[in-house]
Every structure is written in C-alpha cells, then in structure tokens.
Amino acid sequence: MSLISLPCQATMAELQEVQITEEKPLLPGQIPEVAKEAELAARILLDPGQTHSVETPYGSITFTVYGTPKPKRPAILTYHDVGLNYKSCFQSLFQFGDMQEIIQNFVRVHVDAPGMEEGAPVFPVGYQYPSLDQLADMIPCILQYLNFSSIIGVGVGAGAYILSRYALTHPDTVEGLVLINIDPNAKGWMDWAAHKLTGLTSSIPEMILGHLFSQEELSGNSELIQKYRNIVMRAPNLDNIELYWSSYNNRRDLNLERGGDITFKCPVMLVVGDQAPHEDAVVECNSKLDPTQTSFLKMADSGGQPQLTQPGKLTEAFKYFLQGMGYMASSCMTRLSRSRTASLTSAASIDGNRSRSGTLSQSSESGTLPSGPPGHTMEVSC
Ligand code: BEZ
C-alpha cells in the first residue's frame, strides 16, 4: 500500500492533505481482498458448525459438521489427539485464512472421541472406554448417519492411528489420509518400561503434554504452551482424557508392511515436525508404506503440533495433496498461489521416498504450483 497526498480543493492556497490508498486495478471477475475477508467472516458466522451424536455398538459419538455437502465429493473427516478435542486440535488449521479456499469445496466432519466433546460429563467409575480399534469401528455409524460414502481423513497422534485403522478395515471408503504424528506400533516392553519410569516422576497430564509437545517447547513455555498446558491440566473431563490416553497406550500394532497385505489403498501424506516427539515413529512408518502412494512432510520449526504452529505450510501441503488426488484445479488456487510467499516463512520439505532422486523445486516467484502425485519429492523453500 502506498500513500499519495492530493490537494483536496482547487485553490492551491488551501492545500489540505488527504491520504488515499492507491488501489491496483481489479481484473475482470476479481473480487477485492476486503470483500473476500468480509465474505469469509460472514461464512464463519453463518456456518457455526452443527453438533450431532449417534449411537454405536461402543457407545455414543459426537461430531461437528461444517459446510454444505458437495455432490461426488468426499467429506474431510478429522480425528484429534489425546488431551485435545476437535476445536483445540484443528481450529487453528481450519480457520487459517488460506485454508478457506480449500475447505469451501468440502464438508468437514470433526469427530470428538467419546467424553472429549465440550461439556462432556465424566464417565462413571468402571466405565470401559473403547479401544482405538473400537473407536475406528464407530466411524461407519457417523458416515451412515450423514450419508457419506467416502472421506479424506485428517488425524493427529491417536486420531491418526484411529483413521489408519479405519482405512485398513474400510479401504473403499477412504480416498486419502493426512496422518500427523502417527505411531503405528504398539508399545514394546522398552516403551512400557520408559512409560512406567516417567510415571514415577510425572503426572498423567504431564505425560500427555510430553506426547503432544517436545521437551524443548515445554521448557520454552511459550504462550501456546501455556495455553495448551492449561487446556490439559485444567480439563474438567481429565478423567475421560486419561481413559483415551490409556486406550492409546494399549493400541495394537497396525502391522504395516511395505509390499505386504496390510497397507493403505489410498494416497497418504505423513506429517511430523523435525523436533517432534514422534519423529522416529513417523520416519519408520514412512519406510513401511508404498512410496508411490506416500508423501512425507517433515516440517522445520513446527514442534510437536504442526497444525497449530505452522498452519500456512500445512495448508499448502494439503493443497498439493488434494491436487494430486485431482480435487483442486490449480485455477481455483489463485489466491493461495499469490499468498504463498507471505505464508511460508521457512523451509519445509515434502519427501516422498528418500531413495528417490527426482526433486521438484519451486521458486517463490513462480505463479503456479506443482501438483505432483503422491510420492514425488518436493522441496518448498522460501
Ligand atoms: C471448519 O470450518 O472446518 C472448522 C471451524 C471451526 C473449528 C474447526 C473446524
């Protein structure tokens, strides 16, 4: 924006200065930025999300639906991690400015694990919390209720595991998976020993915080960490959270095997922060998946929860992922393309297969974005 001073009256003696904003001429069909922002604000107001509950063989499950159904489009279905609910896990990402251009094309179904929804009562003593496999088995009831035949799953931590299990048992209904901080392995005895030792000196909420964030982040105690420490430590449903935590720790091995029978039948994007507690698990998971179907995004400067700390980079990676699946024509992405230079502040790499030599690199100046199929290696650096 530049400021131009103009005389307001004809007589130069009475020079008055007014400041006007120099506007770039709009191209035909182009909507001014302020109008877009107003439209987005109005849309958020008009679309506050509808919360529903359905009964399943393992108890009732609550989910919140945003957007209106689009014919022949899958729903984006999210599943949050332990200690969080759909809002604390996904709101930063789904309300991120550039994300609007993507999600307006999809209905979003945000699942809250049982007892994690806002205002959930504490389960009675002795309540048998569903295992992660049973939580995955509740998903068909949600899709049936909403009459959706397929989804693109976006999960974090325990939620990523649940969506993976669901994708393995219902491959025909999953078109794509974005798995953040996935650990597909059951805890081995070494992990259990470490877990027990940590339990001697830490409370369960502290252990959950150690699962969500790196030790560096926790000791840095940024505003975000203070906020999430409060969310976990002061949760009125902490007893329920501990049950979800216990189910997570008792998860079975997904038994993924490259070239084996147990594998995903859809494109997968694995995401982890380069300092995240689950980095090794995600790297190992990548080694077990089909490289032609898998993209691996290891994010710099993102800590344990990239969807909270780097929504811009994740939005861009999600856009490539959807483009690779044929859902986002690059012509629809003009605003995102224009704003990518502003939204990316440090390097992220999308690494499909470490042994692959092909690299698509993208300059910040280019107006178009590559929409390679999964498995391609993309370096996005600004
Ligand atoms: C959504 O638009 O999908 C959304 C809105 C608020 C919180 C989480 C998701």
Side-chain angles (χ1 to χ4, degrees):
M1 179 176 89
S2 61
L3 298 172
I4 302 174
S5 298
L6 278 186
C8 170
Q9 301 286 322
T11 50
M12 296 301 279
E14 298 169 31
L15 270 184
Q16 284 182 340
E17 284 195 338
V18 287
Q19 293 186 325
I20 63 160
T21 309
E22 185 190 35
E23 293 285 356
K24 288 201 179 74
L26 291 175
L27 297 172
Q30 197 177 351
I31 305 168
E33 215 58 26
V34 281
K36 280 187 187 158
E37 272 152 27
E39 184 194 304
L40 167 61
R43 217 172 52 70
I44 289 171
L45 278 177
L46 287 172
D47 186 14
Q50 290 280 330
T51 300
H52 308 257
S53 289
V54 286
E55 282 308 315
T56 80
Y58 307 104
S60 89
I61 186 105
T62 302
F63 48 94
T64 306
V65 182
Y66 291 82
T68 40
K70 310 281 179 299
K72 297 193 187 145
R73 292 242 160 181
I76 293 175
L77 185 140
T78 71
Y79 219 118
H80 62 86
D81 203 354
V82 178
L84 308 176
N85 57 24
Y86 92 85
K87 265 196 191 154
S88 52
C89 193
F90 290 110
Q91 184 158 338
S92 309
L93 178 64
F94 281 82
Q95 288 194 336
F96 185 74
D98 285 348
M99 186 57 127
Q100 305 315 306
E101 214 165 337
I102 299 175
I103 61 174
Q104 70 187 0
N105 297 298
F106 296 90
V107 169
R108 286 88 63 200
V109 180
H110 301 288
V111 182
D112 276 322
M116 307 304 142
E117 64 276 16
E118 269 173 10
V122 171
F123 289 122
V125 177
Y127 172 78
Q128 181 67 49
Y129 198 82
S131 66
L132 294 199
D133 291 4
Q134 290 170 333
L135 292 174
D137 282 343
M138 292 165 128
I139 294 174
C141 301
I142 301 174
L143 299 188
Q144 209 170 14
Y145 174 89
L146 293 172
N147 205 16
F148 269 105
S149 52
S150 67
I151 61 162
I152 294 168
V154 181
V156 184
Y161 178 102
I162 292 165
L163 291 179
S164 300
R165 174 67 75 197
Y166 174 74
L168 292 173
T169 50
H170 299 80
D172 297 342
T173 67
V174 183
E175 296 195 28
L177 279 177
V178 177
L179 304 175
I180 304 170
N181 298 338
I182 173 86
D183 186 344
N185 300 325
K187 270 181 183 275
W189 68 267
M190 288 275 279
D191 302 309
W192 272 114
H195 183 78
K196 289 281 169 220
L197 274 177
T198 316
L200 295 177
T201 52
S202 317
S203 64
I204 293 182
E206 281 167 341
M207 287 165 84
I208 294 172
L209 285 164
H211 158 82
L212 295 173
F213 297 101
S214 68
Q215 284 311 314
E216 243 182 321
E217 284 179 290
L218 290 171
S219 45
N221 208 24
S222 64
E223 256 179 47
L224 180 103
I225 294 296
Q226 288 172 36
K227 177 178 165 189
Y228 280 82
R229 208 187 282 279
N230 264 335
I231 287 177
V232 176
M233 296 274 187
R234 307 227 171 119
N237 60 340
L238 189 54
D239 290 353
N240 297 351
I241 294 175
E242 293 188 7
L243 294 174
Y244 187 24
W245 177 236
S246 167
S247 286
Y248 178 66
N249 287 313
N250 286 301
R251 69 192 178 277
R252 290 194 298 140
D253 208 302
L254 285 179
N255 288 319
L256 298 169
E257 205 187 324
R258 186 169 282 182
D261 289 341
I262 305 178
T263 192
F264 298 122
K265 304 282 190 294
C266 62
V268 177
M269 181 166 82
L270 298 175
V271 183
V272 71
D274 67 353
Q275 305 286 317
H278 304 284
E279 190 191 349
D280 293 348
V282 182
V283 169
E284 192 194 328
C285 182
N286 185 42
S287 73
K288 292 178 174 172
L289 299 182
D290 174 357
T292 65
Q293 289 269 70
T294 311
S295 301
F296 181 24
L297 174 64
K298 199 193 269 194
M299 294 176 77
D301 313 321
S302 78
Q305 300 293 309
Q307 80 286 5
L308 301 179
T309 53
Q310 297 284 4
K313 282 194 225 167
L314 200 50
T315 297
E316 184 161 20
F318 189 42
K319 176 197 61 186
Y320 294 146
F321 184 67
L322 292 174
Q323 282 182 341
M325 291 168 66
Y327 277 119
M328 303 295 303
S330 38
S331 60
C332 299
M333 306 305 301
T334 46
R335 184 164 163 257
L336 260 180
S337 308
R338 279 201 310 276
S339 66
R340 67 173 299 282
T341 316
S343 68
L344 290 171
T345 51
S346 59
S349 71
I350 303 176
D351 189 358
N353 177 0
R354 289 167 171 271
S355 61
R356 203 182 284 268
S357 57
T359 299
L360 288 172
S361 47
Q362 185 194 357
S363 118
S364 321
E365 270 73 57
S366 73
T368 54
L369 295 163
S371 56
H376 275 210
T377 299
M378 286 189 278
E379 294 288 341
V380 183
S381 52
C382 301

